[in-house]
Amino acid sequence: MQRSMDDGPAGRRRHLLTARIVATASAVALAVPAGSAAATPPAPADPTPVVTRAGLDPALVTGRGAAVDFAEQEAEHARTTGTVIGPDRAAYTLAGEASGRRAVRLNPGQYVEFTLPAAANALTVRYSIPDAPGGGGITAPLHVTVGRGPTRTMTLTSQYAWLYNQYPFSNDPDAGLLHPDWWITECGCVPAATTPAPTITRPFRPHHFYDEQRLLLGRTYRAGEVVRLTAPVGSGAAWTVIDLLDSQLVGPPRTVPGAVNVLAFGADPTGRRESADAFDRAVAYARRGHRTLYLPPGTYQVNRHVIVDDVTIVGAGSWYTIVKGREVALDTPAPDGSVHAGVGFYGRDAADGGSSNVHLADFTVEGDVRERIDDDQVNAIGGALSRSTIDGLYLHHTKVGMWFDGPMTDLRVTDIVIADQIADGVNFHTGVTNSAVSHTFVRNTGDDGLAMWSEGTADAHNTFDHNTVQSPVLANGIALYGGADNTISANLIADPVREGSAIQVGSRFGAEPFTGHLWITDNTTVRAGSYELNWNIGLGAIWFYALDRSIDADIQVVGDAFLDNTYNAIMLVSDWPVKDTVSISNVHFRDVRVDGTGTSVVSARTAGSASFANVDARNVGAVGVNNCGSFHFTPAGSEFQLTDLGGNDGGWLAPWLLPNTITCDDRPPVVAPPAPAPW
């Protein structure tokens, strides 16, 4: 969501180059993060390719997450002359933001090699390079060779990475606190109200380190060929971190016989000339004739919104058709508050009737968003789109991949890849109903990966099903803020970094209450449960948060698997100022598996109740239940009650804990669990 997680004001390089860049990297303590397991290069890895999903053995997540057409290979499993960094789950570290919490650091001249597990003609590299000393990013080459093929050079950039400071963040590593009147963990104080004033290290809270880049190879290479990624001697980056490689076999460009061709209206496929007006003319013509608009292979420069209604727009495939725009500062703010324009396909505003019968497929939207300004409408897809479909898009470097402002109904989002957003991946905001997101892959968002936010009008009867969300830097993988009769099913969520976790159910941000039912079924989370800066505690992989009001809808958490939890698997919590006026109840856990917790299976920090049936747990770091209730520690026990419906194996829910024994350890020691394994 586009807002602060602080609940404060609304909203939230060649090693011989200049010493300044080296100093920047050292000051951030990211070259080899504290806690890194490797200080010297490891022995060469076995050439057998290791394919993972969200850093896990795919057998552990069968049937869950998005069905994607690429193979994920983590760099830490590849052969390298570099150094493996991690594991580390702390915020503000390169390993902490890496998929699987490990990556490979290359100094100039070093390489990492991957063996292709299947035939491929296209690669995606997830990487990080240093920021410029004063912010704004640098560029650096990465040499790519496959088998005996020619060496290609990717130009990496950190211009879309490296944010600092407090919400809504800054591109300036030397900036002072944006909100000196906010409490911060680093000093355990409110700096503006503290005498003597605390010393705040700069850069303050660096994060959002990673980016990804795609490369078509021009030919197909067979399985077993070796892909070598080399940080060349003379690189402009003091170091290059490679997180992972995705490889895939991309089909030929799609053609659409009989369609209206955007080139006929003056669109420039070289990207040299602005094509927004040509797109408008083509959209209008296709709509009048009830024909499909085709975007042939090319890169089209579009620096503002293209308004769509009752029209079908199809590209040649997201690897071939790229609609790319610069972020343009506006002379005066737009009526919606935007101070920038940027590329995007938008339905009409809901207040103007919205748009319907819009179908967008098979192209890329490549933005230019480098800072978070919440009022800016610089999302790849936006507006209100009813009775519409969005399929096969790649959305990159915009603020939010898709932000829908309802009321609107009957939208289907399928087979989308969303990467490197400043804020959310997808947000159903205000009165979105009977809509679904499925088989969508989201990685490296600056806020919630997928969200439903019932601000003012409830979202209802929606489904997030079979999606994968990896490495949200801030907030949650999937978040629900109010709504009625919604379903979160068969998703795979991994590696949330800070102030959020894999799944959140929250009564906050002015959302309408939860009513009817909420089904959270057959999802898998891994390495979730991040550290919450404001509370100075660890969260659960799934967490329920009562702030604006109580949560008492019928909530069923069934068939889920919570793996390798950094802290708790399950948390139910209310904020301290409202702990005596809100509660969380009517939550039911059934057929759940918990494999590894840093602390507890259940942490209750609220009044209310929950039931548990067939919840099996192993490798629990602390007591099975950490029951603090609402912190009154009454003779009658905790204000939170647990009901044992049977079949809860692993000894975590011992009889003496029931129904409401106080077992409160506010910040228990963390015991890192073993890696997940077949049950």
Side-chain angles (χ1 to χ4, degrees), residues 449-538:
L450 303 175
M452 302 182 197
W453 183 16
S454 297
E455 185 181 36
T457 305
D459 293 332
H461 309 289
N462 300 315
T463 300
F464 290 163
D465 176 74
H466 279 93
N467 304 290
T468 297
V469 181
Q470 289 183 241
S471 303
V473 176
L474 176 72
N476 307 282
I478 297 178
L480 300 104
Y481 308 104
D485 302 331
N486 295 309
T487 298
I488 307 301
S489 56
N491 300 284
L492 172 59
I493 310 107
D495 296 313
V497 177
R498 55 171 273 206
E499 296 176 69
S501 197
I503 301 172
Q504 188 199 17
V505 177
S507 64
R508 57 193 306 201
F509 308 123
E512 294 299 298
F514 288 98
T515 59
H517 67 256
L518 172 59
W519 302 158
I520 303 175
T521 62
D522 298 328
N523 303 282
T524 292
T525 75
V526 58
R527 298 177 300 271
S530 72
Y531 174 71
E532 220 297 333
L533 280 172
N534 306 292
W535 295 336
N536 196 23
I537 59 171

Side-chain angles (χ1 to χ4, degrees), residues 3-4 61 64 76 84 144 147 162 219 285 346 356 376 381 462 468 481 501 517 554 584 613:
R3 74 294 185 261
S4 172
V61 293
R64 301 187 179 190
E76 60 268 23
V84 175
V144 182
W162 291 89
R219 54 159 287 192
Y285 184 89
Y346 272 64
S356 63
D376 269 0
I381 310 294
N462 300 315
T468 297
Y481 308 104
S501 197
H517 67 256
D554 177 16
I584 301 172

Side-chain angles (χ1 to χ4, degrees), residues 581-595:
T581 59
V582 301
S583 62
I584 301 172
S585 59
N586 207 17
V587 187
H588 308 282
F589 298 87
R590 177 165 49 88
D591 301 332
V592 170
R593 288 184 173 178
V594 176
D595 189 356

Side-chain angles (χ1 to χ4, degrees), residues 207-260:
H207 65 285
H208 210 262
F209 306 121
Y210 286 88
D211 203 345
E212 70 177 44
Q213 196 169 136
R214 307 200 298 174
L215 177 67
L216 277 171
L217 298 172
R219 54 159 287 192
T220 298
Y221 293 86
R222 70 184 191 279
E225 294 274 24
V226 172
V227 179
R228 175 180 286 193
L229 307 180
T230 304
V233 173
S235 170
W239 47 262
T240 300
V241 168
I242 303 298
D243 183 23
L244 56 78
L245 179 79
D246 294 332
S247 58
Q248 66 186 99
L249 186 61
V250 178
R254 176 180 180 179
T255 60
V256 185
V260 174

